[in-house]
Amino acid sequence: MGSSEKTILVTGGAGFIGTHTVVQLLNDGYRVSIIDNLDNSVIEAVHRVKDLVGPELSQKLDFNLGDLRNRDDLEKLFSKTKFDAVIHFAGLKAVAESVVYGQPEKIPCVEDFELKAMNPYGRTKLFLEEIARDIQKAEPDWSIILLRYFNPVGAHESGKIGEDPKGIPNNLMPYIQQVAVGRLPELNVYGHDYPTKDGSAVRDYIHVMDLADGHIAAVRKLFSSENIGCIAYNLGTGSGTSVLEMVAAFEKASGKKIPIKLCPRRPGDATAVYASTEKAQKELGWKAKYGIAEMCKDQWKWASNNPWGYQSKP
Amino acid sequence: MGSSEKTILVTGGAGFIGTHTVVQLLNDGYRVSIIDNLDNSVIEAVHRVKDLVGPELSQKLDFNLGDLRNRDDLEKLFSKTKFDAVIHFAGLKAVAESVVYGQPEKIPCVEDFELKAMNPYGRTKLFLEEIARDIQKAEPDWSIILLRYFNPVGAHESGKIGEDPKGIPNNLMPYIQQVAVGRLPELNVYGHDYPTKDGSAVRDYIHVMDLADGHIAAVRKLFSSENIGCIAYNLGTGSGTSVLEMVAAFEKASGKKIPIKLCPRRPGDATAVYASTEKAQKELGWKAKYGIAEMCKDQWKWASNNPWGYQSKP
């Protein structure tokens, strides 16, 4: 059975990573059902997805307004459609950074490192992994892939979809972007005395289109083998970028000056975190293609075309 | 403000540990509201509680049929009554034994041992402790006590309330009890070659009335200090009893022969687990009073008066 006959349920499909993954799923021939409660996303994002993939592929996309925590919403959804796989994005993001490996003892972070949550948000990620492992043990015919994101940034190259956080952004790139378009006056850089190349903290930023393709590779893996159990993969680039390097790259891509303010370190922030990418490359056949130049270029295209995100005016 | 003016919400108050704790709370002068969905308990248990404490104290008990997972049920409850503390018993028990310390590296188990869950049920206990700690960090004016039970057995000395599991019991004492009253033919003893005094596994059994009093001591602690943060206490006796010792004690208390069948060890069962009780004794001023003779005597009184539990006939 080809991908054209398979239907994927995407929870939280109207969000940042959700929309980009839905575009790639549709481009790859899958049918897609989204369930999203639009708590932290907007229906305009789904319209943009349809606009991007065109009228033919749009017919394979089914949007359902609903809440995963509502049993009736789920029963309606599952009685309407038979799904071949589920990609679960739905959730409320609370904290700036990827925190599941915590303050790693070594870098790069390999999948079999012990997970340490540094805050309640990280703990929810960890709980979900453990619950998924338990479900798979209880229902051994399930195949489950746990994808561990590093720091998703950038946007679709069309500039039509991208990240649109409500309120003051917590993450570096949406913050830089809002400084660049004049919505915020300057960027606070937390920590300039870390033992890194330029003193600022180092993270593994990954282009959201690479991340989306990582999900496609994972779905393919689920369908390609009879039973894979429950496996974790990092989705990162494997290389670290400092905050100041990212600011410089964004300035170059946008032609805008980003005023910064050097601030003290924040308690609990790790010095440097980046992914080991070997396992995903070997077992999913997936590797990130884009570097920080493309991340900044596409982020800026989205930002300059949509200075107020999906809203047409402030 | 004396305990007579305080109101305690008891979730799952119609269950085994719930009913015994409610009796002691009422005897201690508290007002009590129960919320229970009766998924794994019966309203007859609440009638027995009222019967036990008498008509005057019964007026201080308010039963609410409802489900904690239903927001409307909670809003109704909290808009009706202002609670001074909550004791949270509600939940579905899935596995035989107290498993939160897992296969302990040392015994007795001290509260600051790292918790290791050996199965999904243990994991839910662990998650709840972590969520409680996070809540307390986020809301520092909350005081939270985490009580870690060992193996609750026995019943109220009146023989009016006790444990009434649905289906085949998983736990040792209800199983022995059902053999004693003729509902089950024999007791399977899993493991007779453990490095213990008689080869059978050793656990810390605690009389449910001692456990109930441990909750009263914990509630008193919550009210006695301005802010205690989030603290864990073991509720156990601190001494280990083997399966075969418990069988012998029950035979003595009941005058009934309990046929046993020696079976292989079950994977994952620990050899010996018992509590360190120092912290609870020092900080809660609480210590278990009853030994296994009383546990068996009261279990048998409950069993012989109620061979089919709260049902009047099979």
Side-chain angles (χ1 to χ4, degrees), chain B residues 121-141:
Chain B
Y121 176 65
R123 223 145 10 243
T124 63
K125 297 283 177 203
L126 217 152
F127 289 176
L128 283 173
E129 285 208 1
E130 296 189 13
I131 291 168
R133 282 184 209 283
D134 281 339
I135 291 173
Q136 204 282 325
K137 264 185 219 155
E139 310 276 353
D141 53 328

Side-chain angles (χ1 to χ4, degrees), chain A residues 190-205:
Chain A
Y190 295 99
H192 44 91
D193 56 354
Y194 283 110
T196 58
K197 34 200 164 188
D198 56 26
S200 64
V202 165
R203 295 291 180 272
D204 186 337
Y205 297 94

Side-chain angles (χ1 to χ4, degrees), chain A residues 114 119-120 123 127 130-131 134 137, chain B residues 114 119-120 123 127 130-131 134 137:
Chain A
E114 192 189 347
N119 53 51
R123 226 152 359 251
F127 288 176
E130 295 189 14
I131 291 168
D134 280 339
K137 263 185 220 156
Chain B
E114 192 189 347
N119 53 49
R123 223 145 10 243
F127 289 176
E130 296 189 13
I131 291 168
D134 281 339
K137 264 185 219 155

Side-chain angles (χ1 to χ4, degrees), chain A residues 155-276:
Chain A
H156 189 272
E157 58 173 4
S158 66
K160 292 192 182 190
I161 56 175
E163 189 169 11
D164 183 21
K166 286 187 183 162
I168 304 288
N170 277 316
N171 295 59
L172 178 63
M173 281 294 261
Y175 206 107
I176 291 180
Q177 161 182 339
Q178 294 197 11
V179 173
V181 299
R183 284 171 68 178
L184 291 168
E186 63 184 1
L187 172 73
N188 293 329
V189 174
Y190 295 99
H192 44 91
D193 56 354
Y194 283 110
T196 58
K197 34 200 164 188
D198 56 26
S200 64
V202 165
R203 295 291 180 272
D204 186 337
Y205 297 94
I206 177 169
H207 196 297
V208 66
M209 292 307 291
D210 274 331
L211 198 71
D213 286 340
H215 288 79
I216 310 296
V219 166
R220 200 174 298 132
K221 170 96 176 170
L222 287 179
F223 291 137
S224 69
S225 347
E226 204 43 41
N227 192 322
I228 62 166
C230 184
I231 317 181
Y233 295 105
N234 287 337
L235 295 184
T237 64
S239 57
T241 302
S242 76
V243 174
L244 295 178
E245 282 175 330
M246 194 53 112
V247 170
F250 196 89
E251 286 180 334
K252 193 173 169 195
S254 65
K256 300 273 178 185
K257 180 75 193 154
I258 308 294
I260 63 166
K261 187 176 158 191
L262 297 178
C263 305
R265 298 182 187 189
R266 287 181 300 195
D269 270 2
T271 302
V273 183
Y274 50 92
S276 163

Side-chain angles (χ1 to χ4, degrees), chain B residues 18-299:
Chain B
T19 45
H20 291 78
T21 303
V22 168
V23 165
Q24 296 303 73
L25 285 169
L26 292 168
N27 282 333
D28 217 40
Y30 292 100
R31 295 184 167 277
V32 176
S33 290
I34 293 175
I35 182 168
D36 201 302
N37 64 7
L38 300 180
D39 249 26
N40 198 29
S41 55
V42 290
I43 194 66
E44 173 65 13
V46 180
H47 298 151
R48 299 276 184 100
V49 166
K50 289 187 175 175
D51 185 28
L52 253 174
V53 299
E56 199 180 331
L57 291 183
S58 287
Q59 286 173 25
K60 292 182 154 192
L61 176 60
D62 171 41
F63 178 83
N64 301 271
L65 181 65
D67 195 304
L68 284 186
R69 297 165 299 183
N70 184 324
R71 189 179 284 258
D72 292 342
D73 289 355
L74 286 187
E75 271 165 10
K76 215 168 93 190
L77 188 68
F78 280 88
S79 66
K80 187 172 77 170
T81 311
K82 198 202 151 292
F83 300 110
D84 298 288
V86 179
I87 303 180
H88 175 51
F89 291 116
L92 294 171
K93 197 175 66 166
V95 163
E97 306 203 55
S98 168
V99 286
V100 170
Y101 287 106
Q103 184 93 12
E105 279 166 39
K106 279 193 294 190
I107 37 179
C109 299
V110 179
E111 284 87 344
D112 60 6
F113 279 13
E114 192 189 347
L115 296 177
K116 284 176 291 186
M118 295 181 72
N119 53 49
Y121 176 65
R123 223 145 10 243
T124 63
K125 297 283 177 203
L126 217 152
F127 289 176
L128 283 173
E129 285 208 1
E130 296 189 13
I131 291 168
R133 282 184 209 283
D134 281 339
I135 291 173
Q136 204 282 325
K137 264 185 219 155
E139 310 276 353
D141 53 328
W142 281 44
S143 292
I144 301 182
I145 290 180
L146 307 167
L147 296 175
R148 298 182 183 156
Y149 307 160
F150 282 68
N151 298 268
V153 298
H156 190 272
E157 59 173 1
S158 65
K160 292 193 180 189
I161 56 175
E163 189 169 11
D164 183 21
K166 283 185 184 163
I168 304 287
N170 277 315
N171 295 58
L172 178 63
M173 280 295 261
Y175 206 106
I176 291 180
Q177 162 182 337
Q178 293 197 12
V179 173
V181 298
R183 285 170 68 178
L184 291 169
E186 63 186 0
L187 172 73
N188 293 329
V189 174
Y190 295 100
H192 44 90
D193 56 354
Y194 284 109
T196 58
K197 35 201 162 184
D198 56 27
S200 63
V202 165
R203 296 291 180 271
D204 186 337
Y205 297 94
I206 177 170
H207 195 297
V208 65
M209 293 307 290
D210 273 331
L211 198 70
D213 286 339
H215 288 79
I216 309 295
V219 166
R220 199 173 297 132
K221 170 95 175 172
L222 288 179
F223 291 138
S224 70
S225 348
E226 203 44 42
N227 193 322
I228 62 165
C230 184
I231 317 181
Y233 296 104
N234 288 336
L235 295 184
T237 65
S239 57
T241 303
S242 76
V243 174
L244 296 178
E245 283 175 330
M246 194 54 111
V247 170
F250 195 90
E251 285 181 332
K252 192 171 170 197
S254 65
K256 299 273 177 184
K257 179 76 192 154
I258 309 294
I260 63 167
K261 186 175 157 192
L262 296 179
C263 304
R265 295 182 188 191
R266 287 180 301 194
D269 270 3
T271 301
V273 184
Y274 51 90
S276 164
T277 60
E278 272 178 51
K279 191 177 170 192
Q281 197 173 343
K282 200 172 144 197
E283 299 182 18
L284 297 180
W286 169 90
K287 192 178 182 298
K289 291 193 295 275
Y290 301 113
I292 61 168
E294 287 100 339
M295 297 177 205
C296 292
K297 177 173 72 66
D298 293 333
Q299 184 97 27

